[in-house]
Every structure is written in structure tokens, then in C-alpha cells.
Amino acid sequence: MNLRSVGVLAFVAASALGLGFGLGITVVNPPQPESLQDAGEPTAVPVAQRSFSDSRTVTVQFARDGEHVLPMPSAGRVTAIAAIPGATIASGQEAIRIDGVPLMALYTEVPLWRDLAEGDKGEDVTALQTELQRLGHQVAVTGQVDRATRSAVAAILGGDTAADSVPESIPATEWVWLPSPEVTVAKVNAQVGQTVAENDPFLTLTGTASRAVITPIPQDALPGERVIDISGVTYPINDQGEISDPSALAELLSSSAYETAKAASEADTAIKLTAKWSLVTPQLVTPVPPAALSGAVNGTGCVSVAGQAVPVQVVSSELGNTLVTSETMLTSIDSRWPDGLTCPSS
């Protein structure tokens, strides 16, 4: 091998070594950490409004009143009693017979305190029509006695509802008033064959549910009219977390959900149900990334729109987003709060 060949081989070897070393540096050289890279300007991201009902899972607790004694509605000799201790009596069912005349149990918000005739008006008429309607009779709640009201009463009493058989008046003494749609009998204070006077003790009832209240009321909830949903049925609830509408309370107390909860509760413990508590009218909110929000002091903050601070009200958080409202219609915001920008609400 001559010197020229040796030189060529040495040049090739040196070149290969240099190329390999260079490649080695390229392969093992790590990328620059993200923390050292320039973050650049925030990018605009689209946002859109959606409905938010602020639903919460709450506990509805039923308060029980004490024992209640029902009086005899009329005088005479007891010929039959349909109640026994431990049993229930529901509105629209027979309770007792005096002188052979069946007296029916009836729940009304206002007890019947007078005989009612065609055309009579008042709160007692409204209460009677409301209960007749709840019992399934075709009665309009007008607050005035009409033929439909008298016909429904005749049907409950087991009489003929033909036009010539509907009674002209509704005697108050034909009804045993109930404080709720269904009651449980603790004691029967009369016997068959006994002669009784009007207002003598008839039935002693066990404590019944008289109130339904959310306990506790979530303190961070959005203000607004609300309802509770129990087994797919909604009931209005006031600002104190109570079902204050007597007809709504009566409907709940006669529901299968309440009966199940009552059966599962001990005699000396409160009856409780789980419900969904929501706004009647959902609020429009805009979900934004938490990084896009600045300030957020006492529920107020800002988002950036094209580098300009826009005040927002923080409503809640959900699925990794912060829900806000704003007087400005938000369709696009900066993905993060820009460095150096000040939020006026901070």
C-alpha cells in the first residue's frame, strides 16, 4: 500500500469519526424545557352560554305534630265504626255510622264549619273543591258551590248523582274532618251502641306529618324560585326551604315515596326523603377555563377578551370549568389571563 492510499483511508476514517460524533451530539442533546420556552401570547378560545339550574341533592325532613283528637260531628247512637287502632283512614272513606247514616272522613285545609248551599262562597268552599278535585272528581275550584260540587259530594256519600237526586245542600255534620289526607288511628273513643253527643271525642290520631322542610338549606345556592323533585314529581318550595302550599304537601304525603320513607323510619325518628332541589327558571352561564379567570374575589372576577379585561360573576364550577355570568355577551375569550393585565374588580 502506497502513501497516497494510506492518506485516503485516514481522511475517510477521520470524516466518519467526525460525522458520528456530530450525530451523537444531535441525538443526546435534550429539547429545551417548556418552562424555559417563551409562553407566547394567549390564544382566543370560543365559549358559549348554557342553562344552569343549580341542582343540589338535599334531604327533606317531615316534622310531626302531637296526638290529635277528632270530635263527633253529630249526636246519636253509634251503629258502626270503620276505624280500629293502628289502622289508617283516608279522606273520602267512611269513618263511622250514627243512627245508620254513614259519616265520611274528609281532609280540607279549612274545616267545613257550616252547611253549604248552592251559590255559597268562601274559603271553606275553595278548600272543599280543592279536595274533591284531588280525589278525582270533575270539580272546578271557583270558591262557589255549584252543581258539580254537590254532585261530587253525593258521589262520595254513595248517593245517586242524577240531576233529581243531588242534594241541594252539603251538611257539615255528615263529615269527619281530617287534618291530613290520611291519618293513623291511635285510639277509638267510642263503641258501637253508645249514644254520643256532638263534639264528644271520637278518634285519637297518632302524630302526623305537618311540615316538610329542607334541612339544611345549602347556603351557597343561587337565589331564585325553586322546586324539589321526588321520584319524578316536582313540588314548590319557599325561601325557607318549606313546602308551604297545603295542596302540594297533601300530594306529597299521599305519595308512594312518602309511604316508603314512613315505613322505613322508626316511630320516634323523623321521616326523611332525598330530593333534587333546583331553580324553576335555569340561569344562563358561560363555562370558562380556570386559567382564563383573574380576581375571583367575593364571587367577582374578570376574563380577558382580546387583551381587554371583562368583569364576570362567578356562579359555580363544574367538570373542570368555572361557570360565570357577565353583562357582556361572551363568545370568545383568551385562554389564559395575560401577564400585566389588571382586573378592575380585584
Side-chain angles (χ1 to χ4, degrees):
M1 182 179 297
N2 56 35
L3 291 177
R4 183 176 180 180
S5 298
V6 171
V8 170
L9 289 174
F11 175 79
V12 171
S15 299
L17 180 62
L19 179 60
F21 184 75
L23 287 174
I25 293 177
T26 301
V27 170
V28 299
N29 187 31
Q32 187 179 22
E34 291 185 7
S35 59
L36 300 180
Q37 294 179 2
D38 183 8
E41 294 298 323
T43 58
V45 293
V47 293
Q49 288 184 322
R50 70 171 181 81
S51 294
F52 179 66
S53 60
D54 193 27
S55 295
R56 312 291 184 92
T57 299
V58 296
T59 298
V60 180
Q61 182 167 308
F62 297 84
R64 295 182 180 181
D65 55 18
E67 288 188 342
H68 191 100
V69 178
L70 299 183
M72 289 287 181
S74 61
R77 186 177 295 274
V78 177
T79 55
I81 298 177
I84 60 174
T88 59
I89 295 181
S91 180
Q93 293 180 347
E94 181 179 325
I96 189 173
R97 294 193 180 198
I98 297 180
D99 295 337
V101 178
L103 306 184
M104 310 301 289
L106 187 71
Y107 160 73
T108 52
E109 182 183 355
V110 178
L112 295 182
W113 53 272
R114 57 173 174 163
D115 295 345
L116 296 175
E118 182 76 15
D120 282 348
K121 300 179 181 179
E123 292 182 352
D124 51 346
V125 178
T126 299
L128 173 62
Q129 291 173 332
T130 299
E131 178 62 6
L132 292 173
Q133 190 179 85
R134 189 189 74 83
L135 292 173
H137 298 278
Q138 299 299 313
V139 176
V141 180
T142 62
Q144 181 173 357
V145 177
D146 54 14
R147 187 188 181 283
T149 304
R150 293 185 290 110
S151 179
V153 167
I156 292 178
L157 294 175
D160 190 354
T161 59
D164 58 350
S165 301
V166 173
E168 291 297 323
S169 65
I170 303 171
T173 55
E174 292 188 353
W175 307 94
V176 176
W177 179 76
L178 300 184
S180 60
E182 186 176 275
V183 298
T184 301
V185 178
K187 181 181 179 182
V188 180
N189 303 306
Q191 295 179 355
V192 174
Q194 178 182 354
T195 299
V196 296
E198 186 177 348
N199 293 324
D200 276 356
F202 171 30
L203 298 178
T204 300
L205 308 179
T206 60
T208 57
S210 57
R211 298 178 63 211
V213 184
I214 291 175
T215 176
I217 300 176
Q219 296 301 306
D220 59 343
L222 292 178
E225 184 181 359
R226 287 180 172 265
V227 294
I228 55 173
D229 184 303
I230 299 176
S231 299
V233 181
T234 58
Y235 305 90
I237 200 109
N238 63 20
D239 292 340
Q240 289 72 48
E242 181 176 357
I243 299 179
S244 56
D245 182 356
S247 60
L249 179 59
E251 181 182 357
L252 177 55
L253 294 179
S254 62
S255 68
S256 59
Y258 175 77
E259 288 300 323
T260 300
K262 183 172 69 171
S265 69
E266 300 293 336
D268 58 347
T269 61
I271 300 172
K272 297 180 180 180
L273 276 174
T274 299
K276 185 172 70 174
W277 185 56
S278 308
L279 289 169
V280 173
T281 304
Q283 188 169 345
L284 287 176
V285 298
T286 303
V288 302
L293 185 68
S294 177
V297 178
N298 295 324
T300 61
C302 293
V303 294
S304 172
V305 178
Q308 300 295 317
V310 176
V312 296
Q313 190 75 23
V314 177
V315 171
S316 183
S317 60
E318 187 178 88
L319 300 177
N321 285 320
T322 301
L323 307 182
V324 303
T325 60
S326 176
E327 294 181 0
T328 302
M329 182 66 179
L330 300 174
T331 58
S332 176
I333 64 171
D334 294 331
S335 59
R336 65 176 179 82
W337 185 254
D339 296 335
L341 186 61
T342 300
C343 175
S345 61
S346 299

